[in-house]
Amino acid sequence: MALRDAEPAIRPGETLRSIGERVGEIALVHPSGKRWWIAFAGAGLLVGLFALTLGYLLYEGVGIWGNNNAVVWALDIASYDWWIGVACGSLLVSGILLLLEAEWRGAVNRIAETVALLATAAAGLYPIIHLGRPWFFYWNLPYPNTFDLWPQFRSPLLWDAIDIVSFLVVAVSLWYIGLLPDIAALRDRAHAEATRQAEEVAPTRTKARLRAQTYGVLASGWRGSAAHWQIWGQAYRIVALLGVLLVVSVQTGASVMLAGSVMPGWHGTLMPVSFLIHAVLSGVGVTAAILVLVRGVYRLDAVITGRHLDALARLLLCLGCASAYCYAAEIFDTLLAGDAAGRAVLLRRMAGGHALAFWVAVLGLVLPPQLFWSARLRRSPPALAAAGILVAAGAYADHVMILVVTLTQDFLPSSRLPYGVDIWGIATFVGSLGLFLALVLLFIRYLPSVSITQVRRLVPPEESRQALPPGGGRAGAPSPDGAPLWGVAAAFGSEAELAAALQALTPSRGRIRLDGYGPVPMPRTLRALGLEGRSILPYALAGSLAGGAGFYGLCLYATAYDYVFLIGGRPRFSWPSFVVPSVSFAMLTGCLAVHAALLWLNRLPRLNHPAFNIPDFLRATDDRFFLAAELQGDGAEVLRIERRLTALPVGGGRPVALARIPR
């Protein structure tokens, strides 16, 4: 059965309001709190182990990992690459689903973006703690210093620093932009609850008020304006595109760096493709496991349906088949066309002292996804979670096989020391895993784990209209005598009715300023508001081109003119070495430009606005649509606006309520 013919992406009968209540309840009320505290205590113990390991590392040195001349990073190079792979895979899945506008993406994107962000944070710790003196991590960055030294721009260490910073900025931006409207929805619900507790003089009213204020600051004054939604959608997609490009650059850049070395086993031309496939596979596996966990614990089967499980299972199946092809191609190419050293490395991987890594990688990345040829297993949450965990374990073993096993014998007499996995390397990885799980639990506890906005877009229009009583055009209370008016506001039950009312007031647009507010994007209102054609793409292009060209020029200037340091026979203008960090920096500056444009064009943050004085305006992030006609003159238009709106037919633009809003 084709995916488009599968069950709906939300349970029938769901409305805008019920989706907001179902998802927002987790952050505001937090059902299943006892189980959460038990899980958080377990993750906290692992975080304590991580802190203990890092303390001993700083005291004793990086030699506690059991590294020697050949395996210079020991097990931690595999851990670092695994975390980066999980982050790349999760970000790539979220970005592609967003760019392809998959209608069912709302239940997957938020968790994938969170996994990408937290995995990037976990990965970023490894290069820092490996420095020996991590408090000097900024020495890797190009900045003015007392000795007029430049970092080595040809070094992969600098590439890692630029990649991690760029990836972290893109991941944070994508995560926060997608989360912004949902934080506003939590803000309004928390404000309503804080008001109720204040009126009842409840003992927890101070805590409720503080929570509402925190969400209010994080929401940056988001009002759900049609202009907000237009720029928000563009920014979300552009940052997703920058993230996809960054993922491809990071994964292929790392593999090309390995392929450019003299080590046998790293020369395969398929390595960039296999790196990318295994990264995406591990990201999908971790995302699927956490998705199943959230769905089961918080009973979100109404918005995380069997269709989402089926889609992720199909994706795992496709990637598992691609992974099988990569392994088969590498093995046959090495056996049929490889040299003696390459065949020796392959034999050592399959039957050497670390052969377990090879077989765990092959069995974990290839076999579990094959379960999903069965339609029944594709819709089984336990099967999907188990396959996701096994795939993630296989991806970790793959990094151990490629990096650690290959480096254990580099054909130099000085490096023929045996390497064994050390307990401190395992403790470091387990501790970083505990940190990741603790942050995931905090995210689930305080923020929406499913995108309220994206899921609401699946609600049929008729379900939205049922949330309001029939329209009657009732006027609100007039403003106090002598109080200047800001404008007139009207409430509606659907975007179609709001768009019809805006269209009726379009002839008066020179004397009033129109705006529309709602809980979901409102593309049908843009023409009436005169917002068609606005784009922030030029900001993204300018930021990316300026950042990439500027960093590339900095590399050329530093290495060829100001700080010439020629080693290994490299040419003075070794321009290929500068491509990878320049692309990463271009994505970083483009993302910053998009984020700045989002805030500037929407005049955010603005924590106070006259629109917040509209009666019942808190429902603008819930299930109601509002029209605001801001007066540009002396207020003579008020009666004409009210008469024109009340003259519209029911269901064709007549508002449910009208109100005059003071300044």
Side-chain angles (χ1 to χ4, degrees):
M1 181 173 62
L3 187 59
R4 61 177 177 272
D5 298 327
E7 63 182 283
I10 59 172
R11 189 167 59 191
E14 294 292 330
T15 64
L16 298 179
R17 187 176 186 85
S18 67
I19 291 172
E21 290 176 347
R22 192 180 303 277
V23 179
E25 179 188 36
I26 299 174
L28 298 177
V29 180
H30 193 55
S32 306
K34 184 177 181 180
R35 283 181 287 178
W36 184 89
W37 279 111
I38 294 174
F40 189 74
L45 291 176
L46 296 181
V47 173
L49 174 65
F50 191 49
L52 176 65
T53 304
L54 295 187
Y56 185 63
L57 171 72
L58 295 178
Y59 175 78
E60 191 68 20
V62 295
I64 66 171
W65 288 335
N67 51 344
N68 52 35
N69 290 340
V71 190
V72 292
W73 262 43
L75 193 63
D76 296 73
I77 188 172
S79 303
Y80 165 74
D81 276 356
W82 183 79
W83 279 120
I84 281 293
V86 170
C88 287
S90 302
L91 189 63
L92 187 66
V93 168
S94 176
I96 289 179
L97 291 179
L98 184 60
L99 294 174
L100 295 179
E101 297 185 351
E103 62 173 9
W104 50 269
R105 68 183 182 271
V108 178
N109 273 37
R110 178 64 46 75
I111 292 178
E113 292 160 7
T114 304
V115 169
L117 172 61
L118 301 184
T120 304
L125 294 175
Y126 276 94
I128 294 176
I129 63 179
H130 185 263
L131 293 175
R133 293 186 291 175
W135 47 90
F136 293 132
F137 71 94
Y138 57 89
W139 283 6
N140 278 327
L141 304 177
Y143 71 99
N145 55 74
T146 55
F147 292 103
D148 293 328
L149 300 177
W150 288 95
Q152 179 52 264
F153 288 102
R154 301 184 183 92
S155 171
L157 291 177
L158 179 75
W159 298 6
D160 287 342
I162 299 299
D163 287 345
I164 286 290
V165 172
S166 301
F167 210 98
L168 191 60
V169 169
V170 173
V172 168
S173 185
L174 185 68
W175 179 77
Y176 179 73
I177 290 175
L179 198 59
L180 185 57
D182 292 356
I183 295 178
L186 292 184
R187 172 201 65 195
D188 293 344
R189 288 185 176 275
H191 180 75
E193 177 63 18
T195 302
R196 184 190 66 80
Q197 292 192 20
E199 293 174 352
E200 297 177 357
V201 197
T204 58
R205 62 186 183 278
T206 302
K207 180 180 178 181
R209 184 175 68 252
L210 179 61
R211 179 168 52 190
Q213 291 172 347
T214 302
Y215 284 131
V217 171
L218 293 176
S220 301
W222 176 272
R223 301 181 296 279
S225 163
H228 287 186
W229 283 117
Q230 182 197 34
I231 298 299
W232 174 86
Q234 295 181 23
Y236 202 10
R237 290 190 296 272
I238 291 174
V239 173
L241 176 60
L242 295 176
V244 169
L245 296 176
L246 181 59
V247 166
V248 175
S249 171
V250 168
Q251 288 298 316
T252 57
S255 56
V256 169
M257 175 187 69
L258 295 178
S261 69
V262 298
M263 293 296 297
W266 287 355
H267 295 160
T269 56
L270 199 61
M271 182 172 284
V273 178
S274 63
F275 259 55
L276 187 59
I277 289 175
H278 294 158
V280 179
L281 187 53
S282 62
V284 175
V286 174
T287 300
I290 295 178
L291 184 80
V292 170
L293 176 66
V294 172
R295 180 181 188 264
V297 172
Y298 294 106
R299 299 179 177 88
L300 289 177
D301 52 302
V303 293
I304 305 178
T305 66
R307 182 172 183 181
H308 300 98
L309 305 183
D310 184 84
L312 289 176
R314 289 172 184 263
L315 189 55
L316 283 174
L317 176 59
C318 293
L319 292 169
C321 293
S323 177
Y325 171 79
C326 289
Y327 278 125
E330 180 183 4
I331 292 173
F332 280 108
D333 180 67
T334 303
L335 293 177
L336 298 178
D339 54 15
R343 288 192 291 271
V345 170
L346 178 61
L347 182 62
R348 194 166 70 249
R349 288 177 180 178
M350 299 175 66
H354 301 277
L356 179 64
F358 174 84
W359 295 111
V360 170
V362 173
L363 298 179
L365 289 171
V366 175
L367 291 187
Q370 307 309 315
L371 297 174
F372 300 124
W373 289 105
S374 167
R376 182 178 180 182
L377 291 178
R378 286 201 298 269
R379 289 170 175 79
S380 171
L384 182 61
I389 294 173
L390 291 174
V391 160
Y396 187 85
D398 179 74
H399 287 295
V400 173
M401 177 193 70
I402 291 177
L403 300 170
V404 175
V405 176
T406 303
L407 289 173
T408 53
Q409 192 176 88
D410 62 358
F411 303 97
L412 294 176
S414 61
S415 301
R416 294 184 63 86
L417 299 176
Y419 169 75
V421 176
D422 190 89
I423 186 64
W424 291 105
I426 298 175
T428 305
F429 173 70
V430 172
S432 68
L433 193 62
L435 177 64
F436 173 81
L437 293 176
L439 294 176
V440 167
L441 290 169
L442 289 174
F443 158 75
I444 294 173
R445 172 63 181 86
Y446 294 106
L447 293 171
S449 53
V450 173
S451 175
I452 299 174
T453 299
Q454 302 290 352
V455 175
R456 277 175 169 170
R457 301 181 72 173
L458 301 174
V459 176
E462 58 271 15
E463 299 289 348
S464 303
R465 279 194 287 270
Q466 290 173 5
L468 291 176
R474 296 181 297 276
S479 61
D481 293 339
L485 282 178
W486 175 75
V488 178
F492 303 87
S494 68
E495 179 194 355
E497 295 172 0
L498 171 61
L502 287 170
Q503 191 64 37
L505 295 179
T506 299
S508 303
R509 207 164 64 191
R511 301 184 297 274
I512 58 176
R513 183 180 179 274
L514 295 174
D515 206 346
Y517 303 92
V520 292
M522 300 171 288
R524 300 173 65 176
T525 65
L526 298 180
R527 175 173 295 181
L529 294 173
L531 297 176
E532 288 185 316
R534 286 203 314 168
S535 175
I536 62 172
L537 184 59
Y539 297 92
L541 289 175
S544 297
L545 294 176
F551 190 85
Y552 194 81
L554 178 66
C555 294
L556 291 178
Y557 170 75
T559 58
Y561 292 101
D562 192 59
Y563 190 66
V564 180
F565 187 59
L566 301 179
I567 56 175
R570 292 186 177 93
R572 188 168 184 172
F573 290 98
S574 53
W575 62 269
S577 304
F578 310 140
V579 172
V580 172
S582 297
V583 170
S584 298
F585 198 78
M587 301 304 104
L588 182 150
T589 54
C591 181
L592 293 177
V594 169
H595 211 94
L598 170 67
L599 297 177
W600 180 65
L601 293 177
N602 286 332
R603 303 296 187 267
L604 296 176
R606 184 175 180 181
L607 303 184
N608 189 19
H609 190 273
F612 289 117
N613 297 324
I614 297 174
D616 220 13
F617 188 72
L618 294 182
R619 294 182 67 177
T621 58
D622 194 358
D623 63 349
R624 185 168 292 191
F625 296 81
F626 290 89
L627 178 150
E630 181 182 353
L631 303 177
Q632 303 286 9
D634 55 5
E637 288 286 323
V638 172
L639 292 177
R640 284 195 289 269
I641 293 172
E642 292 177 343
R643 284 197 297 266
R644 187 169 298 174
L645 290 177
T646 54
L648 295 173
V650 175
R654 181 183 294 184
V656 172
L658 282 169
R660 298 178 182 180
I661 311 302
R663 291 187 181 275

